[in-house]
Amino acid sequence: MMHRAPSQSKGPHPPGPKVANMPTSDAWVKYRDWGSKYGDLIYLPRWNTLITNNAEVAIDLLEKRARIYSDRAMTPIMKLCGGENLLSVECYSDKWRKDRRVFQQTFRQAAISHFYPAQYSKIHEFLRKLLLMPEDSMKHIDGLSRGVIPKALYGLDIEPEDAFAKKVAGIIDTFGKALLNGSFPTYEWFPFLIYLPSWFPGCGFKRIASECGKVVKEVDTIPFETAMNNLQNGIGTSPIVELALQKPQDIKEIKAMGAMSFIGAIDTTMSSVSSFMLAMCLHPDIQTKAQEELDNVVGKDRLPTFEDRRHLPYVEAIYREVMRLYPPVPLGFPHISMEDDFYRGYYIPKGCAVVANIWAMNRNPNVHTDPDKFLPERHLESPTGPFESIDNIYAYGFGRRVCAGRYMADNTVWLTIASVLAAFTLSKAKDRNGNEIDIPGEFTNHFFRHPKPYRSNITPRSQLTRYLVLATADQ
Ligand code: HEM
């Protein structure tokens, strides 16, 4: 939604292009190009938006001045999408604070090992599927990404093709559009259209947003009620049910936490895992190096566990490199300023949407040599080493709005990487004549970014690893 900037009487705004329409495809590339022309701060007056490609600026504003830069824009379209009850897009308020507190109690670092069993179960199931139906690897990645939270939180084993989970996955794109300026141009130019019926010409966006809002309500109730019914019918309990029984006064926030994590995990996990698998197909030498490390540290007679993590610096470096080069949310979520501010001699008005171009920060040539190359070694050579706090991974965002599910995400993605490397060799698929089929390495270009489908070969590393993978079914 367009937010016109207040007058410049308080000082100059940072420089920037006078654009009427915002780029909506590969916007992060366009924003980086603007940075080369305008510098670290790019201000778009028509949109009251400040873009930065510089991590230092993002940290200065979004972390050090988090008191100012922690709001979200609750536009009418975001309301229709059901955003008022979704932690990631809610305004900064007492309601957000309570929602975030309840969320963090469950997903904080110290409590996160409660979810290990569910993560092992779903990741091992993923390995078995890769073994038995390697040609459907994309489908299995989707299944994993949609399945971990339902298992971990609600005790539900959902199938990859589960219609409800598919429906939930389907609304994520709408949220991306509602967050990215320029995605609904008719509405942005003529905001009053929001008050007209969805059949009115140019109002199709209303139908899409209302559909999204309906699904958000369903994801708030359906999995929770299923988990409750499972308890009542003696099928078993689950973390969310236990929490609801312990804290009935927080039931609304607990359900919202479930909905948020169900939605928040899907596209992001899928993006990270498929980017990792793509990188391994493209870089066989890196894959071999990681497998040698795994063989030396873990051995060949079992699959990796979370306890192995600290002893696997090269695997860690691969994970960090995936998050650097392929951040699933390349522009993060815009943080809205709650009061007028001054920074580096410029005036940043209240209500300004600050966009941290994570994709560009992670490819800053002043920070990273060969920034566009997949080079895990850079994390081994860095002064902090590969095990620095995950709070420093920009892909999870900044400040008070930093990803509240990052410890969960980090464990899921890491264990998937380590397990796939231990069990399989990934490579380019071959044609009938035995020639490798090239992988163009293309990515989607909207708000969430992930590899486009590609063909690959996935083969177990040995008879023993085949056996180890199959044996996980009995654990
Ligand atoms: C690799 C996986 C993931 C990535 C890269 C990722 C990235 C992000 C980013 C960039 C943000 C916005 C941060 C900001 O505004 O500065 C965010 C917010 C959020 N994420 Fe994630 N996320 C991932 C997985 C998850 C998972 C698995 C969950 C749930 C368990 C989750 C829950 C949330 C929540 C609740 C917020 C909103 C925080 C707030 O606004 O207060 N995320 N995430």
Side-chain angles (χ1 to χ4, degrees), residues 62 72 87-89 96 100 103 107 149 260-261 264-265 268-269 272 323 328-329 332-335 358 394-406 408-409 413:
L62 308 184
R72 301 275 201 231
L87 178 58
S88 59
V89 286
W96 170 82
R100 177 124 187 160
F103 198 100
F107 287 105
I149 292 289
M260 176 67 240
S261 51
T268 49
T269 310
S272 316
M323 301 312 276
V329 197
F333 286 32
H335 288 220
I358 297 169
Y394 299 151
Y396 292 118
F398 299 92
R400 292 186 195 170
R401 303 303 296 243
V402 68
C403 176
R406 65 196 180 286
M408 181 77 185
V413 177

Side-chain angles (χ1 to χ4, degrees), residues 434-450:
N435 299 319
E436 279 187 343
I437 301 170
D438 202 34
I439 300 179
E442 289 171 345
F443 282 73
T444 55
N445 51 21
H446 289 112
F447 189 77
F448 295 98
R449 185 175 188 264
H450 55 81

Side-chain angles (χ1 to χ4, degrees), residues 60-104:
D60 278 351
L61 298 181
L62 308 184
E63 297 200 357
K64 297 190 183 149
R65 299 188 190 181
R67 190 184 59 77
I68 299 177
Y69 295 93
S70 292
D71 205 2
R72 301 275 201 231
M74 188 45 65
T75 56
I77 203 155
M78 189 56 95
K79 268 190 199 167
L80 266 187
C81 287
E84 280 174 309
N85 286 319
L86 222 48
L87 178 58
S88 59
V89 286
E90 262 175 51
C91 290
Y92 190 69
S93 60
D94 285 345
K95 177 177 177 327
W96 170 82
R97 253 175 234 107
K98 184 153 190 214
D99 281 344
R100 177 124 187 160
R101 196 169 59 243
V102 170
F103 198 100
Q104 284 186 167

Side-chain angles (χ1 to χ4, degrees), residues 122 125-147 160-161 270 273 277 458:
K122 295 316 276 187
E125 179 187 78
F126 173 61
L127 297 183
R128 294 196 298 278
K129 293 200 157 141
L130 285 181
L131 181 72
L132 301 174
M133 292 164 284
E135 63 288 353
D136 290 335
S137 60
M138 294 290 171
K139 204 168 94 183
H140 307 324
I141 298 173
D142 280 341
L144 171 70
S145 312
R146 293 172 197 168
E161 290 297 288
M270 179 270 278
V273 172
M277 291 179 63
I458 302 174

Side-chain angles (χ1 to χ4, degrees), residues 340-362:
D340 286 352
D341 195 21
F342 297 87
Y343 180 67
R344 295 191 181 176
Y346 292 114
Y347 165 50
I348 303 171
K350 177 178 171 174
C352 181
V354 179
V355 176
N357 188 352
I358 297 169
W359 180 89
M361 289 168 191
N362 286 352

